[in-house]
């Protein structure tokens, strides 16, 4: 059977990596967005997930076999996050229902499934690490749970299979993305080098000293493809990480070496990037001018608030991948190489000097 993918969030870190993977595999790929970005091999679909009428018009005749949900919208409260993000998925799947073409829907969420939403991140009673899929939901409202429920309800109604993918912090390229640690750290290191600032770790002692893991967007794309086409993976939720673990006390020096700067030893003081980079817009614009960079607006590249949330956590966070391994997914990606590959791509695309 031929495969046609509809990627919602195709210009983001996850969506762009998934689009690249699927086009390489010979899939027909469509990318839905209010303002699509031109991507090789991806058909643009212009629609607003909050506007059912625009979805019905935009999706007419597409008939996707697989849907990949890799987008969300941020709001000021969790209640509003739940309302908006569930409605977007419901509107999309309602619009696709008359076609009867969808065989699988893959939803990308993340470890806030175990750690709690933005309003209560890392608070209260959390599951024991490493996080495992059978640990279930926290007793707190969470827009990830609302997204899952929207997919589950539509699956029960329409008969398609589903998968839920829970990556840790994702390494990959996307301009304008709200959660982008790799590019944020690349910008921070570039500013430290250009302005002769110390390259100090912004986070907590727990993150500096404890074990952690991350997810390369390319590996996540492979996982999405696998779960969407492997019958044994149907109707399952999966953690998905690179397969290695590290301490930031080691990784910080690796990143510093790549940029040719010195990593300052952590002294126990939390120094959030959101504060340290708050006034760096003009400095970045000057760096961009000097080096002919493609994006002079630092705010479109860096998301310090999200990097602070990850690097400032008071607990060690590692993720178990046994469920996927038992079912046959064996891909592995060294995390330091994932950072290096991203930095190399950012330089080649003239996003960093």
């Amino acid at each position: 059977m031929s495969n046609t993918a509809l990627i919602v969030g195709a210009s983001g870190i996850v969506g762009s990596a998934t689009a690249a993977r699927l086009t390489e595999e010979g899939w027909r790929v469509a990318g839905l967005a209010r303002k699509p970005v031109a991507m090789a091999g991806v058909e643009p679909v212009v629609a607003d997930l909050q506007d059912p009428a625009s979805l019905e018009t935009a999706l007419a005749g597409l008939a996707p076999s697989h849907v990949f949900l890799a987008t969300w919208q941020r709001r000021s409260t969790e209640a509003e996050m739940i309302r908006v993000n569930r409605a977007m998925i419901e509107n999309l799947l309602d619009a696709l229902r008359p076609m009867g073409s969808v065989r699988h829907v893959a939803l990308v969420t993340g470890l806030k499934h175990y750690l709690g939403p933005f309003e209560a991140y890392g608070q209260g009673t959390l599951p024991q690490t490493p996080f495992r899929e059978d640990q279930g939901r926290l007793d707190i409202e969470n827009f990830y749970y609302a997204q899952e429920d929207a997919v589950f309800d539509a699956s029960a109604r329409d008969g398609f299979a589903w998968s839920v993918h829970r990556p840790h912090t994702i390494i990959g390229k996307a301009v304008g993305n709200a959660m982008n640690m790799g590019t944020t750290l690349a910008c921070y290191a570039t500013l430290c080098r250009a302005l002769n600032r110390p390259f100090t770790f912004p986070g907590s002692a727990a993150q500096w000293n404890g074990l952690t893991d991350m997810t390369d967007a390319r590996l996540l794309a492979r996982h999405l493809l696998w779960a969407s086409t492997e019958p044994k993976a149907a109707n399952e939720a999966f953690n998905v990480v690179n397969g290695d673990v590290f301490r930031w006390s080691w990784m910080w020096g690796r990143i510093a070496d790549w940029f040719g700067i010195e990593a300052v030893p952590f002294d126990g003081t939390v120094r959030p990037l959101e504060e340290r980079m708050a006034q760096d817009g003009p400095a970045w614009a000057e760096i961009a001018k000097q080096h002919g960079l493609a994006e002079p607006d630092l705010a479109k590249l860096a998301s310090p608030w999200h990097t602070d949330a990850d690097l400032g956590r008071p607990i060690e966070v590692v993720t178990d991948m046994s469920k996927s391994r038992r079912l046959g997914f064996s891909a592995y990606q060294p995390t330091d190489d994932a950072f290096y590959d991203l930095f190399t791509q950012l330089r080649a695309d003239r996003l960093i000097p």
Side-chain angles (χ1 to χ4, degrees):
M1 299 177 68
S2 62
N3 294 318
T4 297
L6 175 64
I7 301 177
V8 184
S11 62
I13 291 176
V14 176
S16 59
T18 304
R21 185 72 191 184
L22 295 179
T23 54
E24 288 175 5
E25 296 289 334
W27 287 43
R28 178 188 177 194
V29 179
L32 186 150
R34 285 176 295 177
K35 298 178 180 179
V37 175
M39 301 173 64
V42 178
E43 303 169 30
V45 176
V46 182
D48 183 347
L49 291 172
Q50 297 187 63
D51 181 354
S54 79
L55 285 167
E56 183 178 349
T57 300
L59 295 171
L62 182 60
S65 59
H66 294 71
V67 178
F68 299 88
L69 299 167
T71 191
W72 61 283
Q73 289 192 17
R74 193 179 184 191
R75 291 293 188 271
S76 59
T77 67
E78 192 62 25
E80 189 65 6
M81 294 269 285
I82 289 169
R83 184 190 69 79
V84 169
N85 287 285
R86 174 163 186 151
M88 291 194 305
I89 291 177
E90 289 176 337
N91 291 341
L92 175 73
L93 297 180
D94 284 349
L96 291 172
R97 184 184 187 190
M99 304 173 200
S101 61
V102 177
R103 304 198 299 268
H104 191 103
V105 173
L107 171 67
V108 179
T109 61
L111 294 196
K112 284 188 287 297
H113 181 93
Y114 308 105
L115 288 163
F118 291 117
E119 288 185 355
Y121 189 66
Q123 301 175 19
T125 302
L126 301 177
Q128 186 181 46
T129 57
F131 293 142
R132 302 176 188 273
E133 296 91 345
D134 61 4
Q135 289 168 318
R137 296 179 175 184
L138 302 176
D139 187 21
I140 187 171
E141 293 296 314
N142 189 325
F143 84 93
Y144 280 172
Y145 305 160
Q147 288 182 308
E148 287 184 341
D149 288 342
V151 172
F152 299 160
D153 290 349
S155 171
R157 179 192 70 192
D158 299 336
F160 57 74
W162 56 265
S163 57
V164 175
H165 304 255
R166 299 171 186 157
H168 199 163
T169 305
I170 299 171
I171 303 171
K173 180 203 164 188
V175 176
N177 192 271
M179 299 190 294
N180 194 341
M181 180 189 284
T183 304
T184 298
L185 293 180
C187 292
Y188 175 53
T190 298
L191 286 161
C192 288
R193 184 179 61 193
L195 303 176
N196 294 315
R197 291 180 184 170
F199 187 59
T200 54
F201 182 70
S204 66
Q207 294 305 303
W208 181 257
N209 297 312
L211 290 172
T212 193
D213 48 27
M214 294 184 73
T215 306
D216 188 306
R218 298 166 300 181
L219 182 134
L220 176 53
R222 295 176 66 180
H223 195 263
L224 286 161
L225 172 59
W226 166 77
S228 297
T229 55
E230 169 54 63
K232 291 183 293 185
N235 304 327
E236 297 285 350
F238 297 102
N239 298 328
V240 50
V241 287
N242 287 338
D244 62 351
V245 294
F246 64 91
R247 302 180 200 276
W248 277 105
S249 56
W250 175 79
M251 186 66 77
W252 201 246
R254 305 280 285 176
I255 293 173
D257 287 346
W258 196 93
F259 284 93
I261 56 179
E262 183 178 352
V264 178
F266 180 61
D267 64 2
T269 302
V270 177
R271 297 180 173 86
L273 286 180
E274 191 167 21
E275 296 176 8
R276 302 197 71 199
M277 299 177 70
Q279 307 302 320
D280 283 341
W284 184 264
E286 183 60 28
I287 292 171
K289 181 180 179 181
Q290 291 176 359
H291 295 276
L293 300 185
E295 182 50 71
D297 187 350
L298 181 61
K300 291 183 179 179
L301 296 173
S303 51
W305 68 272
H306 182 260
T307 298
D308 286 339
D310 277 3
L311 297 184
R313 289 183 298 213
I315 57 172
E316 179 179 271
V317 176
V318 288
T319 313
D320 181 73
M321 275 282 286
S322 298
K323 186 175 183 179
S324 293
R325 303 298 188 217
R326 288 190 178 102
L327 293 177
F329 183 77
S330 60
Y332 166 79
Q333 170 63 57
T335 300
D336 51 346
D337 286 346
F339 274 121
Y340 300 158
D341 290 349
L342 171 63
F343 300 155
T344 299
Q345 183 180 9
L346 293 176
R347 183 167 285 173
D349 293 344
R350 297 188 300 108
L351 292 171
I352 62 172

